[in-house]
Amino acid sequence: MHVQEWLETVPAVAVYALVGIVIGLESLGIPLPGEIILVSSALLASQHGDIDPVILGAGATAGAIIGDSIGYAIGRKGGRPLLAWLGGKFPRHFSEAHIATAERSFQKWGMWAVFFGRFVALLRIFAGPLAGVLHMPYWKFLTANVLGGILWAGGTTAVIYYVGIVAESWLKRFSWLGLVLAVLIGLTSMLVLKRKAKKTAAATTATAEPAPAPASVGD
């Protein structure tokens, strides 16, 4: 079942809790589809009045900040052995190559890697634990964590919510344009495919025709 369709079957409180928990666990270092859940929930809020986008954004922001902070504490205590253990459990996400890439980003950008990492799926998982492993000063981490969490979680919720409202309004007003566009695309696709089929058939026929017999020497 599609994520948004499934979210429609649960009460609003459960949606808030689910978004906060999933994003929190992802920020903590567990590979989960936090962004997909957030976007689907924000779209759902734009279509149903039961879900408050402000509460949704606040829950997502809280999950992001708290999850990242817990990940930082775990990374600081676990150190390099923790990254090696995660690599064994989640080789697709915590491979040596991914860890090396994230570490270079942290060494180059420092606290800005935590801030901008919110907007990159790989760094969003790594940010908290890796900042702890590398012993980034906590005040720097917390500053970047809070600002990044607010901008990413709150901003994503607001943008998707308003885009959903505008799109729904546009489709209601200009649904006939969508129908005309769909018909035109369908006709164009059919003509293009028909033309390609004719070319392919002609090429096949030319290849299948026997070559003319060579003239005899005496002719």
Side-chain angles (χ1 to χ4, degrees), residues 42-188:
L43 279 175
L44 186 62
S46 70
Q47 299 166 6
H48 298 277
D50 295 338
I51 300 177
D52 189 330
V54 176
I55 299 177
L56 180 66
T61 301
I65 295 172
I66 295 171
D68 239 12
S69 297
I70 295 174
Y72 175 90
I74 294 174
R76 194 172 182 92
K77 185 175 182 180
R80 295 283 178 179
L82 173 65
L83 296 180
W85 181 83
L86 288 172
K89 294 293 182 181
F90 306 103
R92 181 181 174 185
H93 296 85
F94 288 90
S95 64
E96 291 183 7
H98 285 170
I99 292 175
T101 300
E103 190 169 355
R104 284 195 298 270
S105 299
F106 269 71
Q107 291 173 346
K108 183 176 182 179
W109 301 106
M111 63 182 290
W112 292 109
V114 177
F115 178 83
F116 290 111
R118 276 289 167 201
F119 303 89
V120 182
L122 179 63
L123 285 179
R124 189 161 56 246
I125 298 172
F126 279 123
L130 192 56
V133 170
L134 297 177
H135 290 268
M136 177 182 291
Y138 184 68
W139 71 268
K140 288 186 177 182
F141 169 80
L142 184 62
T143 301
N145 179 26
V146 172
L147 294 177
I150 292 172
L151 189 60
W152 174 74
T156 299
T157 302
V159 169
I160 298 299
Y161 175 77
Y162 286 112
V163 166
I165 290 179
V166 171
E168 187 175 12
S169 175
W170 189 90
L171 288 174
K172 285 180 179 178
R173 294 181 182 180
F174 306 104
S175 57
W176 62 272
L177 286 176
L179 177 61
V180 172
L181 183 61
V183 171
L184 290 176
I185 292 174
L187 288 174
T188 303

Side-chain angles (χ1 to χ4, degrees), residues 192-205:
V192 169
L193 289 174
K194 190 174 181 180
R195 187 175 180 182
K196 285 186 176 181
K198 283 185 178 180
K199 286 185 177 181
T200 303
T204 302
T205 302

Side-chain angles (χ1 to χ4, degrees), residues 5-15 18 44 51:
E5 293 176 352
W6 179 80
L7 288 172
E8 291 178 355
T9 64
V10 300
V13 175
V15 174
L18 179 67
L44 186 62
I51 300 177

